[in-house]
Amino acid sequence: MGCRLWGDGPTTVLFVHGNLASKDWIELAAPWFPPDIRVIGLDWRGCGDSDRPPPGADYANYRMEVHAADMLAALDTLGVGFCHLATHSTGGVIAAHMLLARPERFGKVLALDPVAPLGLAFDEQGFALFEAMRSSPEVTRAVMATAAASLFEPDSLGAGKVPQLRAGAGPTAAMFERVVRGAFGVAEGVWLGTPRHLTEERRAGCLSTRMPELRHEHLVLWGEQDGWIPAADLKMMTRRMPDCRLVTVPGVGHSMNLERPELYAGYFGAFFGGLNRVS
């Protein structure tokens, strides 16, 4: 598994990235993190610098539970007995599996535009979109632009259009192009397995029924321009989880960590800064 560290403070936070992503999605925010925090970024199997196992039948070796088990094993290897979690998108579902499997190992959770424990349903058109992305860097870039909508000219987003970055995007624009290249290189088990497994999570409802067991403090951040995560799902999280608060953030989309990294770092530091439990 690919691993990267930021900082060396006494408080440890594990970053669990989203689908088609990597640990580097918080790179731009890291310079603003408080000095008392050590952040560990791990790549899912099939993403970033991690190995890319051939997919098993029905992509079973890329299920959300498998990603969660990978993360727990990596923490064991790193000697981290206790930490907090920062998640993005599908990382939220992976984290839920981790919290239910080993609740005593984790503290607070900062969830950025998370896929809720409800899962996320894709239809045949959605599956076909992932197939098309896997075959074309241009399609991948166009779809990923909708996950960072505030970086682009609004009129350039949409079917059949070429997304145009806003003037003055600077380092953020360069990072976006880099993560698009990284996304296009993920394993087949991620491309095609993830939407199927999230859809199955939605259908089966196994995590959904266990939301009352997720007692860890959660702060959920949702960008008001996020077209991927239903606000209704996150509101249900706040109703059914014992200690979950939702904040809607204006002016950003699905990826504040890319769109407004300094703002994301502000929430991150306010939520995790000053904690004194050492891993």
Side-chain angles (χ1 to χ4, degrees), residues 171-193:
T172 306
M175 174 58 80
F176 177 79
E177 301 298 351
R178 183 174 131 200
V179 299
V180 169
R181 292 193 297 272
F184 191 70
V186 304
E188 178 185 340
V190 174
W191 274 118
L192 304 182

Side-chain angles (χ1 to χ4, degrees), residues 13-108:
V13 177
L14 173 66
F15 174 63
V16 186
H17 66 77
N19 190 31
L20 306 181
S22 74
K23 59 191 178 304
D24 295 339
W25 278 54
I26 54 167
E27 179 180 309
L28 293 179
W32 284 286
F33 291 160
D36 61 339
I37 296 177
R38 175 180 63 153
V39 179
I40 301 172
L42 294 171
D43 291 323
W44 300 4
R45 62 169 61 200
C47 293
D49 296 320
S50 290
D51 291 342
R52 285 151 170 70
D58 296 324
Y59 306 104
N61 57 332
Y62 283 88
R63 297 191 322 274
M64 299 299 105
E65 302 96 314
V66 174
H67 291 307
D70 285 346
M71 297 289 165
L72 290 169
L75 291 175
D76 289 342
T77 299
L78 293 168
V80 177
F82 178 89
C83 67
H84 308 279
L85 297 175
T87 74
H88 181 218
S89 195
T90 305
V93 167
I94 295 171
H97 283 286
M98 296 167 67
L99 294 168
L100 290 168
R102 297 295 305 274
E104 75 284 357
R105 293 191 66 166
F106 302 105
K108 302 169 73 174

Side-chain angles (χ1 to χ4, degrees), residues 89-90 92-93 96 113-120 198 201-202 207-208 211 229-230 232-237 241:
S89 195
T90 305
V93 167
D113 298 286
V115 175
L118 297 161
L120 196 62
L198 292 179
E201 293 272 10
R202 190 84 176 196
L207 275 183
S208 175
M211 279 197 280
I229 303 299
D233 287 5
L234 305 186
K235 291 176 182 177
M236 184 175 290
M237 285 178 66
M241 291 168 55

Side-chain angles (χ1 to χ4, degrees), residues 198-248:
L198 292 179
T199 300
E200 177 59 21
E201 293 272 10
R202 190 84 176 196
R203 185 199 66 78
C206 296
L207 275 183
S208 175
T209 60
R210 299 188 67 183
M211 279 197 280
E213 299 176 48
L214 294 169
R215 298 184 176 277
H216 303 75
E217 180 182 354
H218 279 66
L219 175 59
V220 177
L221 305 175
W222 183 73
E224 67 174 358
Q225 297 178 20
D226 186 349
W228 286 90
I229 303 299
D233 287 5
L234 305 186
K235 291 176 182 177
M236 184 175 290
M237 285 178 66
T238 65
R239 291 195 301 270
R240 299 184 61 188
M241 291 168 55
D243 192 359
C244 183
R245 180 164 58 99
L246 172 64
V247 174
T248 298

